[in-house]
Amino acid sequence: IAGITQAPTSQILAAGRRMTLRCTQDMRHNAMYWYRQDLGLGLRLIHYSNTAGTTGKGEVPDGYSVSRANTDDFPLTLASAVPSQTSVYFCASSEGPGLPQHFGDGTRLSIL
Amino acid sequence: ELKVEQNPLFLSMQEGKNYTIYCNYSTTSDRLYWYRQDPGKSLESLFVLLSNGAVKQEGRLMASLDTKARLSTLHITAAVHDLSATYFCAVDPGTYKYIFGTGTRLKVLA
């Protein structure tokens, strides 16, 4: 079934550790996104990529980095995790402007 | 700074009743999206509104967009329990930097 795969599903991580959340799509969408969802705050954009090889900062990029080496993969890295990064992380993709985003199932991340 | 505000944040309604969720945004945009999220699940796309006056309907849900007023509405007709979920609007300012509203948690009571 075509879609977006995120891994891991959930993770508990010690503060200060490095963590990479994986996101892979098989729809050949040009644009990909990373959001964090926190209670009462909705979804906030962390980073985006409008095409392979290009990335951009969203609303809350600090403490996170991304790469887009190819069309299908868009990993999100926390270089040194802090408790305030405890959240649910969603990866999404879209064919382009004016088209809806397709979301993965999310990664629930707890930083202790 | 683009802001997107939804109201109400919480909505409890009886089955069979009608209600409207409002989405106001603070900058010029003619691209607005509505999504649904069930508890513990991902988001699924409901409607894409791409021009002033656009109206889309699917079942008991109808969405509209007024770009001049910077307002979108999601109208629920004769609510049923299966519509219980959180509904988000999202605005695309044309830069890939989508901004989501904080969501409206809808509970339909039998």
Side-chain angles (χ1 to χ4, degrees):
Chain A
I1 298 176
I4 294 183
T5 302
Q6 289 186 237
T9 303
S10 64
Q11 183 78 42
I12 298 173
L13 190 67
R17 298 296 295 268
R18 180 184 179 90
M19 176 75 190
T20 295
L21 308 185
R22 300 185 297 279
C23 175
T24 299
Q25 54 112 352
D26 61 4
M27 298 174 282
R28 308 301 293 171
H29 286 172
N30 285 320
M32 297 188 75
Y33 313 83
W34 274 106
Y35 295 91
R36 59 177 290 173
Q37 184 175 28
D38 302 290
L39 195 62
L41 295 176
L43 277 78
R44 292 181 292 168
L45 182 66
I46 304 171
H47 286 286
Y48 67 94
S49 169
N50 59 348
T51 191
T54 303
T55 63
K57 294 181 180 180
E59 184 182 355
V60 288
D62 293 343
Y64 306 94
S65 63
V66 291
S67 61
R68 187 88 185 276
N70 56 61
T71 297
D72 299 341
D73 301 299
F74 191 45
L76 176 74
T77 297
L78 289 68
S80 179
V82 295
S84 62
Q85 292 177 310
T86 293
S87 188
V88 180
Y89 291 85
F90 285 100
C91 179
S93 71
S94 69
E95 289 185 73
L99 295 166
Q101 295 181 48
H102 299 257
F103 285 82
D105 289 337
T107 294
R108 187 175 297 274
L109 186 62
S110 297
I111 313 296
L112 304 179
Chain B
E1 179 187 346
L2 172 59
K3 292 186 178 180
V4 180
E5 295 182 348
Q6 285 183 238
N7 68 83
L9 298 182
F10 300 97
L11 176 56
S12 180
M13 56 190 298
Q14 296 274 331
E15 274 193 333
K17 298 293 186 181
N18 304 333
Y19 209 84
T20 300
I21 298 171
Y22 297 89
C23 174
N24 292 88
Y25 55 98
S26 63
T27 194
T28 302
S29 176
D30 56 4
R31 295 175 183 163
L32 191 134
Y33 309 80
W34 284 96
Y35 294 89
R36 168 182 171 143
Q37 185 180 36
D38 292 305
K41 302 293 186 181
S42 185
L43 283 79
E44 65 173 296
S45 175
L46 292 175
F47 299 110
V48 178
L49 303 168
L50 298 178
S51 61
N52 185 42
V55 177
K56 295 280 185 72
Q57 182 163 6
E58 179 73 33
R60 301 175 187 274
L61 300 178
M62 183 173 71
S64 65
L65 178 62
D66 182 342
T67 60
K68 294 178 182 176
R70 298 179 184 175
L71 171 68
S72 180
T73 61
L74 180 65
H75 186 73
I76 303 157
T77 301
V80 293
H81 183 262
D82 286 353
L83 290 179
S84 297
T86 299
Y87 293 86
F88 292 95
C89 62
V91 175
D92 170 12
T95 61
Y96 292 90
K97 296 183 180 180
Y98 291 76
I99 301 293
F100 279 72
T102 51
T104 296
R105 186 181 297 179
L106 171 66
K107 186 172 184 178
V108 181
L109 305 172

